[in-house]
Amino acid sequence: MGDMANSSIEFHPKPQQQREVPHVGGFGCTLAELRSLMELRGAEALQKIQEAYGDVSGLCRRLKTSPTEGLADNTNDLEKRRQIYGQNFIPPKQPKTFLQLVWEALQDVTLIILEVAAIVSLGLSFYAPPGEESEACGNVSGGAEDEGEAEAGWIEGAAILLSVICVVLVTAFNDWSKEKQFRGLQSRIEQEQKFTVIRNGQLLQVPVAALVVGDIAQVKYGDLLPADGVLIQGNDLKIDESSLTGESDHVRKSADKDPMLLSGTHVMEGSGRMVVTAVGVNSQTGIIFTLLGAGGEEEEKKDKKGKQQDGAMDSSQTRAKKQDGAVAMEMQPLKSAEGGEMEEREKKKANVPKKEKSVLQGKLTKLAVQIGKAGLVMSAITVIILVLYFVIETFVVDGRVWLAECTPVYVQYFVKFFIIGVTVLVVAVPEGLPLAVTISLAYSVKKMMKDNNLVRHLDACETMGNATAICSDKTGTLTTNRMTVVQSYLGDTHYKEIPAPSALTPKILDLLVHAISINSAYTTKILPPEKEGALPRQVGNKTECALLGFILDLKRDFQPVREQIPEDQLYKVYTFNSVRKSMSTVIRMPDGGFRLFSKGASEILLKKCTNILNSNGELRGFRPRDRDDMVKKIIEPMACDGLRTICIAYRDFSAIQEPDWDNENEVVGDLTCIAVVGIEDPVRPEVPEAIRKCQRAGITVRMVTGDNINTARAIAAKCGIIQPGEDFLCLEGKEFNRRIRNEKGEIEQERLDKVWPKLRVLARSSPTDKHTLVKGIIDSTTGEQRQVVAVTGDGTNDGPALKKADVGFAMGIAGTDVAKEASDIILTDDNFTSIVKAVMWGRNVYDSISKFLQFQLTVNVVAVIVAFTGACITQDSPLKAVQMLWVNLIMDTFASLALATEPPTESLLLRKPYGRDKPLISRTMMKNILGHAVYQLTIIFTLLFVGELFFDIDSGRNAPLHSPPSEHYTIIFNTFVMMQLFNEINARKIHGERNVFDGIFSNPIFCTIVLGTFGIQIVIVQFGGKPFSCSPLSTEQWLWCLFVGVGELVWGQVIATIPTSQLKCLKEAGHGPGKDEMTDEELAEGEEEIDHAERELRRGQILWFRGLNRIQTQVCWDGKKMLRTTEVG
């Protein structure tokens, strides 16, 4: 990095460099030259280009590319460029290896305690007490122990270690596969990103990774630039460079003032062509990423060194500024006014996780901590009771003395007690919870891909289940986005269908064809259909496609007009943006004059028209009165049919005096109206049903569109967003703003709260209106719970609203890169019905976790109580450590797999959304947990105390240390596991449904796991022997165990009969973190009120600053070294 930082100091090339020297591979520029060129901005950059290459086309010549034809599509040439200048690919951070994940899984505290206990137990089992004095140590090793058994003492320790290894491997494997899935998802998102380049004079869409230095790329509104380049030709190009510089104002780019385009910046307006000069790790974004990659390790070192480094950094910065004016100049504009506070905030934010925990994770963490604490207390009490009991019985009751040679024997007892205590803890702590969430989310995300939802942030999937409001775009989401002109007003006549070309005056027809062909992006075109009988393919902006289609319907063609006036001959272009709501293009006429063509929303453009063409194609005055007439008779009826109206106009300028093109209002005024057309975008056939489902599920759908209010209302009624007879509001953007702002023009939440609950349609809205609405609904405190809002968007201007929303959906087909970047989920088919699928999956995640909790907690309660009481009454847990670990494994790992992969059903959409603060464990679930616990405890204690009489076998109670496993305790263990297996089937329903088998075969994973667990259980009991403390059971005993297990299902029906409403005493558990529990960091965040959108942007800036600081420090160190050497000299 040092050389790069230094290279930026020597801007002014030495004169002798002017001669073209053949560089590497026959290209006229080296990588270093291009890299240093891309660090300059504005006038400096232009100066450098002029000095080194003459002009941009000189640069193109050196890179062996043509500004108009692009590169020859020749694989060898492209490969050679990749080798010399690098690929357009930034290598991702190394994923964690499997071993690293295993190491992380081993960090679990409970597992560490178990490992220690197991190792101590192992060590002691190999120590045999000397001689036969063990009689003196009490009835320690009396009983049925022979030589062979004594040697088997090590088995328990080994078995515990083995099961720990099992748990660790399973956890690590899960993390590893999650990581792998996520990387697959990332690469899929990256592959889908394409960019338009010119090769061999043809426009091609190539994957971003395939761009090479020297490519000529087309940039247009909404693009996220994938590489650095120099602008060759641009129309009204404005770039948002805030992700790199932190400057929120859009930067105007033009070939003669500031031609430098940087990767990672967004095109906000206009279009143009650029020559790619730096890709991948050599582009501006790449350089920052490399710094970060290298930065990761540096950061860690820095943290260790502590604060001293910071001081050095600051002083070095100031020194850098003094030391070298050039560098300071270079760095200064990028540092932006917020630089200092940024660093401060960044320090604060380094401690705060990047994205706040999702609601579910918050609730679960809290619950897991509570359960863990309870488990810890129980296990401590268990150990204390066991130790006291043993000490009192041995030394007080039997009156023995502690003999030195007996110490190992006693220690062995204490270790056994300790192991029992740890086992209680292990069973109590639900370490399967995080696993269940991960599995459930990962599984849902994978399946959602099939439902056309590409999830970018895992937690978005679960948040979607809580959604209470959806603010949807109209175009493309609710409608098909295949625009067609169906009505028109030409030459004083309103045509309800496409007019015959013969019915129109040639002059009007000719003007119309030129106005549409020239005044639309040349990248927009209509191509022949791919399959026979299909519709023609629309490429580019859909509204423009409709107009071009109109020309084709009039039996004319737009291509010859475009060939006659190619794009680079357009004199001036005012591109479409959300403020203008119109687009205008100026061409030079043969007589030296100019003609301006304009098209845009009819109510905006008609205000600028002073003439209109009559049926003979002659001008006639168009006064405000005529305009009102036209709005009433033509435009409103079109809008009421759900059509979008577009006005097409022109204006001629004489050759004598050229107007001031920058004074746009002056230029685009005094127009002559050629035509008004009505464009229809039919509603997607499946949308009304989808919206009905949303409304039934308690989700309000609102439509936010740029169309006029009549069109919007017509479409909303067709979709079912507004129903006749309902009390609702349809507002235009202006009216909406008037209602929510006070006299000073500030937005007031109280005013907003009066508007949004009834608002269903917001028409003629600007992007800021959309953001205001979303923010207003989210911040509102009127309802009993906070609203969870989903938003759909496709345009660059939707970015802020998508970021602000709880879940942002971007359109995969029509969406711009900026929108996709800001979103949480990408709809790969742009269809509203996919959002309903997302809601279903989101609710399903929530339910899966609840099912798992219901199952898990029942087992926890029972196992802890059994181990605890058993230990207190019989000095030995009826469930041995290894058995507990097996139960823990089936409970946690397998059950989370089985219950977290239940597919969603339509019935999920029949209930209202859970609130953000609804507890995880509802009353019904609490009833189930306690009810089943009562059944299981009754059975197990009956077996423990009178089981030997019932089965006519030896009692397993009070067995000495290392005695062989008893049938009695094996039956208890087996019954326990059988009850869990059948209770797992009960756990499939959490809302008190009767039929627990409903849809069980639609989940093969569940069936496999239940049967698999059953199979392994048979093996453990019959052949587990000493390690599992099991002794083989007879068929009759097995049948009894099974009978008791099936009893769980019957008992489940009994519990379902008890009405929950009667059980007022049951508490709910697992609420979200309360208001008062906000951490200091969150409060600090609250004060600054940085929302996600800003935070994301800031992240970009911060990376940039860090990069710059590193470079500066580098420069300083180099400077210091030089100073030192001179001093020494």
Side-chain angles (χ1 to χ4, degrees):
M1 280 311 304
D3 57 359
M4 175 199 145
N6 297 344
S7 64
S8 62
I9 302 174
E10 311 160 1
F11 297 156
H12 310 295
K14 304 166 187 67
Q16 64 265 33
Q17 259 183 351
Q18 202 50 50
R19 290 198 318 278
E20 295 218 2
V21 264
H23 284 78
V24 210
F27 295 113
C29 315
T30 62
L31 181 58
E33 277 175 25
L34 289 174
R35 227 168 121 150
S36 62
L37 170 68
M38 289 321 293
E39 275 162 33
L40 309 180
R41 306 276 173 278
E44 288 174 338
L46 271 173
Q47 181 191 350
K48 167 92 183 200
I49 292 174
Q50 279 157 6
E51 287 173 1
Y53 313 107
D55 59 3
V56 179
S57 44
L59 175 63
C60 292
R61 274 198 302 282
R62 292 263 195 111
L63 289 172
K64 299 202 167 158
T65 178
S66 145
T68 48
E69 298 292 307
L71 295 174
D73 210 349
N74 160 347
T75 15
N76 296 343
D77 176 50
L78 297 178
E79 201 39 57
K80 189 163 136 195
R81 287 172 190 272
R82 283 196 190 100
Q83 279 166 1
I84 296 171
Y85 297 115
Q87 302 184 342
N88 195 23
F89 170 71
I90 296 171
K93 246 171 65 184
Q94 279 296 313
K96 287 181 175 155
T97 58
F98 188 67
L99 286 175
Q100 281 171 308
L101 291 170
V102 167
W103 178 242
E104 275 179 19
L106 277 169
Q107 310 296 312
D108 188 8
V109 186
T110 38
L111 287 182
I112 292 174
I113 297 175
L114 263 182
E115 287 153 25
V116 172
I119 290 164
V120 173
S121 155
L122 262 179
L124 287 170
S125 67
F126 290 125
Y127 173 84
E132 286 303 314
E133 302 125 291
S134 50
E135 283 309 308
C137 305
N139 60 346
V140 172
S141 29
E145 182 165 324
D146 54 35
E147 283 307 300
E149 293 293 353
E151 266 132 47
W154 59 274
I155 292 181
E156 184 164 32
I160 293 179
L161 279 181
L162 195 71
S163 34
V164 165
I165 290 169
C166 263
V167 173
V168 166
L169 288 178
V170 170
T171 316
F173 179 74
N174 264 306
D175 286 347
W176 179 76
S177 54
K178 180 178 82 183
E179 177 90 355
K180 197 165 137 229
Q181 252 180 351
F182 192 68
R183 285 191 178 269
L185 198 70
Q186 281 305 94
S187 62
R188 195 174 149 164
I189 292 176
E190 278 155 20
Q191 281 158 11
E192 286 188 351
Q193 211 182 355
K194 293 213 169 21
F195 209 74
T196 315
V197 296
I198 304 174
R199 287 187 184 165
N200 280 339
Q202 296 287 320
L203 278 181
L204 297 179
Q205 289 269 331
V206 299
V208 164
L211 287 177
V212 293
V213 170
D215 253 327
I216 304 297
Q218 283 271 26
V219 296
K220 60 180 187 313
Y221 161 82
D223 283 343
L224 172 68
L225 298 183
D228 292 357
V230 178
L231 190 64
I232 302 174
Q233 171 262 327
N235 304 321
D236 197 17
L237 195 61
K238 284 191 187 159
I239 306 273
D240 172 10
E241 292 190 349
S242 61
S243 57
L244 285 184
T245 62
E247 292 297 336
S248 54
D249 294 343
H250 299 169
V251 186
R252 264 183 182 281
K253 297 284 178 182
S254 59
D256 51 358
K257 290 201 180 71
D258 180 0
M260 310 312 263
L261 301 177
L262 306 176
S263 58
T265 58
H266 295 139
V267 183
M268 298 315 268
E269 271 184 43
S271 61
R273 285 204 315 276
M274 71 168 186
V275 54
V276 176
T277 53
V279 293
V281 286
N282 302 308
S283 66
Q284 292 301 305
T285 315
I287 289 170
I288 294 171
F289 267 108
T290 344
L291 276 176
L292 275 185
E297 293 93 67
E298 285 176 36
E299 292 290 301
E300 281 164 29
K301 287 181 207 155
K302 247 191 228 161
D303 289 346
K304 285 178 193 150
K305 287 187 191 165
K307 287 280 180 224
Q308 63 208 34
Q309 206 78 356
D310 286 344
M313 271 287 274
D314 296 341
S315 52
S316 66
Q317 273 177 0
T318 42
R319 259 185 241 133
K321 284 175 198 159
K322 290 177 197 157
Q323 176 212 351
D324 193 315
V327 179
M329 270 308 295
E330 179 53 24
M331 305 303 185
Q332 239 9 59
L334 297 174
K335 190 103 173 77
S336 95
E338 301 173 339
E341 42 180 324
M342 273 296 161
E343 292 287 326
E344 283 308 300
R345 276 190 194 163
E346 190 35 28
K347 276 179 201 144
K348 265 191 223 163
K349 216 162 298 150
N351 320 327
V352 183
K354 256 185 294 205
K355 198 158 182 178
E356 60 188 63
K357 269 204 188 122
S358 71
V359 187
L360 187 60
Q361 280 167 328
K363 289 181 185 176
L364 281 176
T365 317
K366 207 174 150 200
L367 194 68
V369 169
Q370 287 167 348
I371 298 174
K373 280 180 188 161
L376 199 62
V377 173
M378 289 291 273
S379 64
I381 297 175
T382 313
V383 175
I384 293 166
I385 290 179
L386 283 171
V387 171
L388 285 176
Y389 197 103
F390 173 75
V391 170
I392 291 170
E393 190 180 38
T394 313
F395 300 118
V396 180
V397 180
D398 296 354
R400 295 179 191 283
V401 195
W402 184 298
L403 301 169
E405 62 269 24
C406 289
T407 308
V409 182
Y410 295 146
V411 171
Q412 218 161 342
Y413 257 104
F414 291 143
V415 169
K416 178 181 154 187
F417 298 151
F418 182 59
I419 288 181
I420 292 173
V422 173
T423 323
V424 173
L425 179 64
V426 170
V427 177
V429 174
E431 61 271 38
L433 270 183
L435 192 67
V437 180
T438 316
I439 292 176
S440 185
L441 285 175
Y443 173 77
S444 304
V445 166
K446 205 170 175 177
K447 291 284 190 209
M448 282 168 81
M449 285 294 296
K450 293 198 178 99
D451 285 338
N452 303 311
N453 282 294
L454 187 94
V455 182
R456 293 182 68 236
H457 301 131
L458 269 184
D459 50 1
C461 158
E462 156 244 320
T463 314
M464 207 43 221
N466 287 331
T468 54
I470 298 176
C471 295
S472 171
D473 270 3
K474 176 180 78 72
T475 314
T477 316
L478 300 174
T479 56
T480 55
N481 205 7
R482 267 203 74 90
M483 308 269 198
T484 41
V485 171
V486 286
Q487 296 187 20
S488 52
Y489 179 81
L490 283 156
D492 286 346
T493 323
H494 183 178
Y495 296 96
K496 289 290 174 95
E497 54 248 359
I498 303 292
S502 53
L504 299 174
T505 321
K507 182 184 172 191
I508 295 186
L509 191 55
D510 200 51
L511 264 171
L512 185 67
V513 171
H514 274 75
I516 292 175
S517 310
I518 294 169
N519 186 31
S520 56
Y522 276 34
T523 47
T524 303
K525 37 185 175 304
I526 290 186
L527 302 175
E530 284 174 338
K531 299 190 201 69
E532 270 190 49
L535 295 164
R537 279 182 301 154
Q538 298 187 339
V539 180
N541 181 305
K542 300 297 183 201
T543 312
E544 291 179 348
C545 285
L547 295 171
L548 294 175
F550 185 45
I551 294 184
L552 298 176
D553 291 340
L554 292 169
K555 309 286 181 281
R556 299 292 288 269
D557 191 3
F558 55 87
Q559 212 46 51
V561 180
R562 286 180 171 184
E563 279 159 13
Q564 187 191 338
I565 305 178
E567 193 171 9
D568 41 20
Q569 282 182 24
L570 301 179
Y571 194 78
K572 170 87 180 143
V573 179
Y574 301 98
T575 50
F576 178 87
N577 69 22
S578 52
V579 181
R580 288 191 187 117
K581 290 209 189 312
S582 67
M583 169 179 179
S584 312
T585 305
V586 181
I587 55 169
R588 216 184 188 126
M589 301 301 279
D591 63 359
F594 300 95
R595 174 169 286 171
L596 169 126
F597 290 116
S598 195
K599 67 163 191 286
S602 54
E603 58 262 48
I604 290 173
L605 219 55
L606 283 175
K607 286 181 183 152
K608 299 182 176 177
C609 290
T610 51
N611 295 299
I612 189 165
L613 295 178
N614 66 12
S615 50
N616 304 324
E618 290 144 8
L619 298 192
R620 135 174 104 70
F622 187 66
R623 300 182 301 278
R625 199 177 63 234
D626 301 328
R627 187 176 68 233
D628 297 342
D629 228 29
M630 187 161 171
V631 167
K632 269 201 195 68
K633 290 187 180 146
I634 312 292
I635 291 175
E636 282 186 0
M638 279 189 187
C640 290
D641 292 341
L643 305 184
R644 175 193 254 172
T645 52
I646 301 277
C647 171
I648 299 163
Y650 80 107
R651 176 184 181 180
D652 284 331
F653 295 95
S654 65
I656 307 157
Q657 183 190 357
E658 188 173 333
D660 169 15
W661 298 116
D662 285 337
N663 184 352
E664 191 186 326
N665 288 343
E666 208 34 52
V667 174
V668 186
D670 199 7
L671 304 173
T672 302
C673 172
I674 306 172
V676 172
V677 294
I679 296 180
E680 180 182 49
D681 184 5
V683 171
R684 287 174 181 262
E686 63 278 12
V687 162
E689 175 55 22
I691 286 182
R692 208 163 37 253
K693 280 184 189 166
C694 280
Q695 289 164 340
R696 203 171 49 219
I699 301 170
T700 314
V701 182
R702 295 181 173 83
M703 181 165 98
V704 182
T705 173
D707 263 352
N708 76 26
I709 188 121
N710 296 329
T711 313
R713 194 182 281 129
I715 299 272
K718 281 183 193 164
C719 294
I721 291 178
I722 53 181
Q723 316 269 342
E726 266 187 5
D727 178 20
F728 57 78
L729 281 174
C730 294
L731 295 179
E732 281 199 341
K734 272 189 190 144
E735 173 63 13
F736 172 69
N737 276 308
R738 198 183 60 67
R739 289 193 184 196
I740 62 170
R741 292 175 191 272
N742 59 18
E743 296 70 48
K744 294 182 192 152
E746 295 156 348
I747 297 168
E748 283 187 0
Q749 187 66 44
E750 297 91 84
R751 291 174 181 238
L752 236 171
D753 287 343
K754 289 190 187 117
V755 175
W756 73 257
K758 287 185 183 175
L759 184 70
R760 292 292 175 274
V761 176
L762 184 57
R764 280 278 171 251
S765 70
S766 68
T768 16
D769 294 341
K770 193 171 185 176
H771 181 255
T772 308
L773 177 65
V774 173
K775 187 173 183 309
I777 297 180
I778 290 179
D779 294 348
S780 168
T781 47
T782 46
E784 53 269 23
Q785 55 194 38
R786 140 151 156 50
Q787 296 273 319
V788 178
V789 185
V791 170
T792 69
D794 52 6
T796 306
N797 43 21
D798 290 330
L802 287 172
K803 268 267 178 277
K804 180 68 196 160
D806 295 290
V807 182
F809 286 91
M811 302 297 145
I813 305 168
T816 57
D817 297 343
V818 184
K820 289 181 189 171
E821 203 53 33
S823 69
D824 302 296
I825 297 180
I826 295 174
L827 294 178
T828 48
D829 63 346
D830 287 17
N831 193 337
F832 188 83
T833 41
S834 306
I835 300 180
V836 182
K837 295 260 175 56
V839 172
M840 238 159 78
W841 277 106
R843 292 187 171 189
N844 192 49
V845 167
Y846 222 87
D847 279 7
S848 297
I849 304 301
S850 296
K851 289 172 189 173
F852 173 67
L853 265 175
Q854 177 172 308
F855 172 67
Q856 161 100 46
L857 292 179
T858 313
V859 189
N860 279 10
V861 170
V862 175
V864 170
I865 295 180
V866 168
F868 176 71
T869 18
C872 298
I873 299 170
T874 66
Q875 284 76 71
D876 183 8
S877 165
L879 299 174
K880 299 291 179 286
V882 182
Q883 296 174 351
M884 287 280 213
L885 283 167
W886 161 239
V887 170
N888 210 33
L889 190 76
I890 58 169
M891 279 180 355
D892 281 2
T893 317
F894 296 158
S896 61
L897 251 178
L899 291 168
T901 51
E902 289 269 308
T905 55
E906 286 281 331
S907 61
L908 286 168
L909 293 175
L910 297 177
R911 61 171 174 76
K912 298 276 178 276
Y914 292 144
R916 287 181 78 90
D917 35 19
K918 177 179 181 303
L920 273 176
I921 303 172
S922 62
R923 275 230 179 97
T924 314
M925 286 168 63
M926 203 53 127
K927 175 184 77 175
N928 289 342
I929 291 170
L930 296 177
H932 287 293
V934 168
Y935 173 81
Q936 296 184 8
L937 287 170
T938 316
I939 298 280
I940 286 177
F941 283 134
T942 312
L943 285 177
L944 182 57
F945 296 114
V946 293
E948 70 269 28
L949 308 174
F950 180 76
F951 284 110
D952 191 22
I953 45 178
D954 294 333
S955 165
R957 294 194 300 280
N958 301 329
L961 201 62
H962 299 320
S963 57
S966 66
E967 281 186 353
H968 183 190
Y969 274 17
T970 309
I971 290 177
I972 293 178
F973 166 56
N974 199 20
T975 312
F976 183 66
V977 173
M978 287 303 120
M979 291 194 291
Q980 300 327 323
L981 272 183
F982 285 99
N983 195 27
E984 197 165 335
I985 300 176
N986 274 332
R988 291 183 66 243
K989 300 289 176 221
I990 48 172
H991 298 298
E993 296 92 331
R994 289 244 172 228
N995 181 3
V996 287
F997 292 101
D998 179 31
I1000 195 165
F1001 295 114
S1002 63
N1003 185 0
I1005 302 181
F1006 184 85
C1007 303
T1008 320
I1009 284 178
V1010 172
L1011 295 172
T1013 314
F1014 186 60
I1016 301 173
Q1017 178 64 17
I1018 295 178
V1019 175
I1020 288 178
V1021 172
Q1022 297 305 95
F1023 311 104
K1026 188 75 191 183
F1028 278 97
S1029 318
C1030 285
S1031 108
L1033 300 180
S1034 67
T1035 319
E1036 188 194 348
Q1037 289 164 334
W1038 261 102
L1039 286 173
W1040 273 110
C1041 293
L1042 266 174
F1043 171 72
V1044 173
V1046 175
E1048 266 289 342
L1049 295 174
V1050 182
W1051 183 247
Q1053 295 301 316
V1054 176
I1055 296 178
T1057 326
I1058 305 169
T1060 316
S1061 49
Q1062 302 297 307
L1063 304 169
K1064 290 277 188 288
C1065 51
L1066 288 185
K1067 295 252 314 226
E1068 300 161 324
H1071 291 264
K1075 294 257 186 337
D1076 46 341
E1077 294 171 35
M1078 275 180 76
T1079 57
D1080 302 343
E1081 281 147 27
E1082 283 174 32
L1083 285 171
E1085 294 254 299
E1087 284 159 24
E1088 292 169 10
E1089 282 200 328
I1090 301 179
D1091 62 6
H1092 278 332
E1094 288 180 54
R1095 216 177 292 170
E1096 293 294 321
L1097 281 175
R1098 297 260 160 101
R1099 264 222 325 273
Q1101 281 161 242
I1102 285 147
L1103 304 187
W1104 182 241
F1105 292 141
R1106 279 199 193 144
L1108 286 176
N1109 281 336
R1110 291 245 165 76
I1111 297 169
Q1112 283 183 337
T1113 355
Q1114 198 79 38
V1115 174
C1116 306
W1117 291 132
D1118 294 347
K1120 275 191 200 161
K1121 277 181 209 154
M1122 284 162 64
L1123 284 171
R1124 273 197 209 116
T1125 43
T1126 46
E1127 280 166 16
V1128 171

Coordinates of all heavy atoms in Angstrom, one line a residue, residues 141-167:
S141 N -16.8 -50.1 48.1 CA -16.8 -50.9 46.9 C -17.4 -52.3 47.2 O -17.0 -53.2 46.6 CB -15.4 -51.0 46.4 OG -14.5 -50.9 47.5
G142 N -18.3 -52.3 48.2 CA -19.0 -53.6 48.4 C -19.9 -53.9 47.3 O -19.9 -53.2 46.3
G143 N -20.8 -54.9 47.5 CA -21.8 -55.2 46.5 C -21.2 -56.1 45.4 O -20.2 -56.8 45.6
A144 N -21.8 -56.0 44.3 CA -21.6 -57.1 43.3 C -20.3 -56.8 42.4 O -20.3 -57.2 41.3 CB -22.8 -57.1 42.4
E145 N -19.4 -56.1 43.0 CA -18.2 -55.8 42.2 C -17.2 -56.8 42.1 O -16.6 -57.2 43.2 CB -17.7 -54.4 42.7 CG -16.5 -54.0 41.7 CD -16.2 -52.6 42.0 OE1 -17.1 -51.8 42.3 OE2 -15.0 -52.2 41.9
D146 N -16.9 -57.3 41.0 CA -15.7 -58.3 40.9 C -14.6 -57.6 40.1 O -14.7 -56.4 39.7 CB -16.2 -59.6 40.2 CG -16.8 -59.3 38.8 OD1 -16.3 -58.3 38.2 OD2 -17.8 -59.9 38.4
E147 N -13.5 -58.3 39.9 CA -12.4 -57.7 39.2 C -12.7 -57.0 37.9 O -12.4 -55.9 37.7 CB -11.3 -58.8 39.0 CG -10.6 -59.2 40.3 CD -10.0 -57.9 41.0 OE1 -9.2 -57.2 40.4 OE2 -10.4 -57.6 42.1
G148 N -13.5 -57.8 37.1 CA -13.8 -57.3 35.7 C -14.5 -55.9 35.8 O -14.2 -55.0 35.0
E149 N -15.4 -55.8 36.8 CA -16.2 -54.6 36.9 C -15.3 -53.4 37.3 O -15.5 -52.3 36.8 CB -17.3 -54.8 37.9 CG -18.4 -55.8 37.5 CD -19.2 -55.3 36.3 OE1 -19.0 -54.1 35.8 OE2 -20.0 -56.1 35.7
A150 N -14.4 -53.7 38.2 CA -13.6 -52.6 38.7 C -12.8 -52.0 37.5 O -12.6 -50.8 37.5 CB -12.6 -53.1 39.7
E151 N -12.4 -52.8 36.6 CA -11.7 -52.3 35.5 C -12.6 -51.5 34.5 O -12.1 -50.7 33.7 CB -11.1 -53.4 34.7 CG -9.6 -53.7 35.1 CD -9.4 -55.2 35.4 OE1 -9.8 -56.0 34.5 OE2 -8.8 -55.5 36.4
A152 N -13.9 -51.7 34.6 CA -14.7 -50.9 33.7 C -15.1 -49.5 34.2 O -15.9 -48.8 33.7 CB -16.0 -51.7 33.5
G153 N -14.4 -49.1 35.3 CA -14.7 -47.8 35.9 C -14.4 -46.6 35.0 O -15.0 -45.6 35.1
W154 N -13.5 -46.9 34.0 CA -13.1 -45.8 33.1 C -14.1 -45.5 32.1 O -14.1 -44.4 31.5 CB -11.8 -46.1 32.4 CG -11.9 -47.4 31.6 CD1 -11.7 -48.6 32.1 CD2 -12.3 -47.5 30.2 NE1 -11.9 -49.5 31.1 CE2 -12.3 -48.9 29.9 CE3 -12.6 -46.5 29.3 CZ2 -12.6 -49.3 28.6 CZ3 -12.9 -47.0 28.0 CH2 -12.9 -48.4 27.7
I155 N -15.1 -46.4 31.9 CA -16.0 -46.3 30.8 C -16.9 -45.1 30.9 O -17.1 -44.4 29.9 CB -16.9 -47.6 30.7 CG1 -16.0 -48.7 30.3 CG2 -18.0 -47.4 29.7 CD1 -16.7 -50.0 30.1
E156 N -17.3 -44.7 32.1 CA -18.2 -43.6 32.2 C -17.5 -42.3 31.7 O -18.1 -41.6 30.9 CB -18.8 -43.4 33.6 CG -19.8 -42.3 33.7 CD -20.6 -42.3 35.0 OE1 -20.1 -42.7 36.0 OE2 -21.7 -41.9 34.9
G157 N -16.3 -42.1 32.2 CA -15.6 -40.9 31.8 C -15.4 -40.9 30.3 O -15.6 -39.8 29.6
A158 N -15.0 -42.0 29.7 CA -14.8 -42.1 28.3 C -16.1 -41.8 27.5 O -16.1 -41.1 26.5 CB -14.2 -43.5 27.9
A159 N -17.2 -42.4 28.0 CA -18.5 -42.2 27.3 C -18.9 -40.7 27.4 O -19.4 -40.2 26.4 CB -19.5 -43.1 28.0
I160 N -18.6 -40.0 28.5 CA -19.0 -38.6 28.6 C -18.2 -37.9 27.5 O -18.7 -37.1 26.8 CB -18.7 -38.0 30.0 CG1 -19.7 -38.7 31.0 CG2 -18.9 -36.5 30.0 CD1 -19.5 -38.2 32.4
L161 N -16.8 -38.2 27.5 CA -16.0 -37.5 26.5 C -16.5 -37.7 25.1 O -16.6 -36.8 24.2 CB -14.6 -38.0 26.6 CG -13.7 -37.3 27.7 CD1 -12.3 -37.9 27.7 CD2 -13.7 -35.8 27.6
L162 N -16.9 -39.0 24.8 CA -17.4 -39.3 23.5 C -18.6 -38.5 23.1 O -18.7 -38.0 22.0 CB -17.7 -40.8 23.4 CG -17.9 -41.4 22.0 CD1 -16.5 -41.4 21.3 CD2 -18.5 -42.8 22.0
S163 N -19.6 -38.5 24.1 CA -20.8 -37.7 23.8 C -20.5 -36.2 23.6 O -21.2 -35.6 22.8 CB -21.9 -38.0 24.8 OG -21.3 -38.1 26.1
V164 N -19.5 -35.7 24.4 CA -19.2 -34.3 24.2 C -18.7 -34.1 22.8 O -19.0 -33.2 22.1 CB -18.1 -33.9 25.2 CG1 -17.4 -32.6 24.8 CG2 -18.7 -33.8 26.6
I165 N -17.8 -35.0 22.3 CA -17.3 -34.9 20.9 C -18.4 -34.9 19.9 O -18.5 -34.1 19.0 CB -16.3 -36.1 20.7 CG1 -15.0 -35.9 21.5 CG2 -16.0 -36.2 19.2 CD1 -14.1 -37.1 21.5
C166 N -19.4 -35.8 20.2 CA -20.6 -35.9 19.3 C -21.3 -34.5 19.2 O -21.5 -34.0 18.1 CB -21.6 -36.9 19.8 SG -21.5 -38.4 19.1
V167 N -21.6 -33.9 20.4 CA -22.3 -32.7 20.4 C -21.5 -31.6 19.6 O -22.0 -30.9 18.8 CB -22.6 -32.2 21.9 CG1 -23.1 -30.8 21.9 CG2 -23.5 -33.2 22.5

